[in-house]
Amino acid sequence: AQTVTQSQPEMSVQEAETVTLSCTYDTSESDYYLFWYKQPPSRQMILVIRQEAYKQQNATENRFSVNFQKAAKSFSLKISDSQLGDAAMYFCAYRSQGAQKLVFGQGTRLTINP
Amino acid sequence: GAVVSQHPSRVICKSGTSVKIECRSLDFQATTMFWYRQFPKQSLMLMATSNEGSKATYEQGVEKDKFLINHASLTLSTLTVTSAHPEDSSFYICSACRDVSYEQYFGPGTRLTVT
C-alpha cells in the first residue's frame, strides 16, 4: 500500500519570504499523481497543484511550485513571496494511475508572520 | 465549475438520535463520492467510497451499520450517522470524483456535535 509522509508538523515563514514544505511517499508503481491541497481555517480543501509522475517538468502555479524527485520519491512544495492568505494546513496526497482514492499525508501547518 | 456542496454545514444532535449529511455535486456527475472524517489538527481519514447505484465500500474499522451511506443519484450521496454518540462528534468532509478525470472535488465539510 502507498504511504505519504510529511515530516514537518508545523512551519512558519515571514511574509514575502519563501518556504518549502516536504513530502515523501512510498510506492512500487511507476504511474501516479501527486497533489498538494490547502486547508485554510474555513476547512475547505483547495487543490494547490498537481504533478503527473510521467512528467519530468515540475508543475508551477503562480507562486507555487514543486520539486518532484521521482527516484527519491520526494515531492516538495515551494511557496514564493508568502502572503498572509497562505496560512493553512497543507496536505500532500498520492493517487494511483487509474484509481480514484487519494492517500493523504499527515499535514503541515503553515504560519505566516507579518 | 466542479462545485460540491454539503448540507448542513453544522449540526448539533442529541445522543441516540440519527443525523443525515448530504453531499451534492452541483455542476457535474459523480459516479463515485468519498466520505472523510477529520479530527482536530489531523489529516483526512477516508471512511468509505460511495458508488452510485451500488453499496458503499467501507474502510477497515469503520462501522457500516453506524455510518450509512446512500448514493441515490449521480449528484447526491448521503451519510447518516445512526444512534449518534458524543465520540461521533467530528468534522465530516465529502468529495465527488469526476468520472472522466478522476479528480476529486471537496465539499466544505459538516461539523457534527453530539451532546
Side-chain angles (χ1 to χ4, degrees):
Chain A
Q2 295 80 26
T3 59
V4 177
T5 302
Q6 294 178 248
S7 58
Q8 306 154 314
E10 296 184 357
M11 292 280 286
S12 64
V13 64
Q14 290 296 125
E15 192 176 3
E17 307 240 313
T18 295
V19 63
T20 299
L21 308 184
S22 300
C23 172
T24 58
Y25 58 95
D26 188 27
T27 185
S28 59
E29 301 171 339
S30 58
D31 293 327
Y32 49 87
Y33 299 87
L34 295 165
F35 305 85
W36 279 98
Y37 284 92
K38 170 185 177 181
Q39 188 180 41
S42 67
R43 309 282 299 261
Q44 171 74 59
M45 294 285 284
I46 301 166
L47 176 63
V48 175
I49 201 165
R50 60 173 273 171
Q51 173 81 44
E52 292 90 342
Y54 67 85
K55 289 186 177 179
Q56 292 187 334
Q57 187 170 7
N58 289 322
T60 299
E61 287 288 341
N62 301 313
R63 298 182 295 107
F64 299 87
S65 62
V66 298
N67 184 0
F68 173 48
Q69 302 289 329
K70 190 172 184 179
K73 297 178 183 174
S74 170
F75 182 61
S76 61
L77 174 70
K78 185 172 83 170
I79 306 174
S80 304
D81 185 25
S82 297
Q83 300 176 0
L84 295 178
D86 295 334
M89 281 288 287
Y90 286 82
F91 294 100
C92 179
Y94 173 104
R95 178 165 65 83
S96 299
Q97 171 77 23
Q100 296 169 315
K101 277 190 190 180
L102 288 168
V103 179
F104 284 96
Q106 304 91 323
T108 296
R109 179 170 300 280
L110 178 64
T111 302
I112 311 296
N113 300 312
Chain B
V3 178
V4 177
S5 70
Q6 268 184 255
H7 179 77
S9 58
R10 291 174 178 267
V11 59
I12 301 173
C13 70
K14 291 187 182 299
S15 187
T17 62
S18 295
V19 60
K20 181 185 287 187
I21 303 170
E22 292 186 350
C23 178
R24 293 181 185 273
S25 56
L26 299 184
D27 50 4
F28 66 99
Q29 293 184 331
T31 303
T32 302
M33 294 184 177
F34 297 93
W35 287 96
Y36 298 87
R37 185 172 180 176
Q38 187 179 32
F39 292 104
K41 299 186 178 181
Q42 293 190 23
S43 187
L44 281 68
M45 181 190 78
L46 180 64
M47 299 175 65
T49 302
S50 171
N51 300 297
E52 189 268 337
S54 64
K55 290 185 178 180
T57 304
Y58 290 83
E59 296 298 302
Q60 192 173 7
V62 176
E63 298 176 63
K64 57 184 67 176
D65 293 331
K66 166 169 269 303
F67 298 101
L68 300 180
I69 291 172
N70 186 294
H71 197 143
S73 75
L74 288 173
T75 58
L76 173 64
S77 175
T78 60
L79 169 68
T80 301
V81 183
T82 63
S83 187
H85 288 133
E87 55 265 33
D88 298 326
S89 298
S90 193
F91 193 71
Y92 293 87
I93 302 174
C94 75
S95 71
C97 198
R98 266 195 191 274
D99 288 350
V100 176
S101 67
Y102 286 4
E103 295 293 343
Q104 283 192 35
Y105 298 91
F106 289 84
T110 296
R111 179 173 300 284
L112 170 63
T113 303
V114 184
T115 61

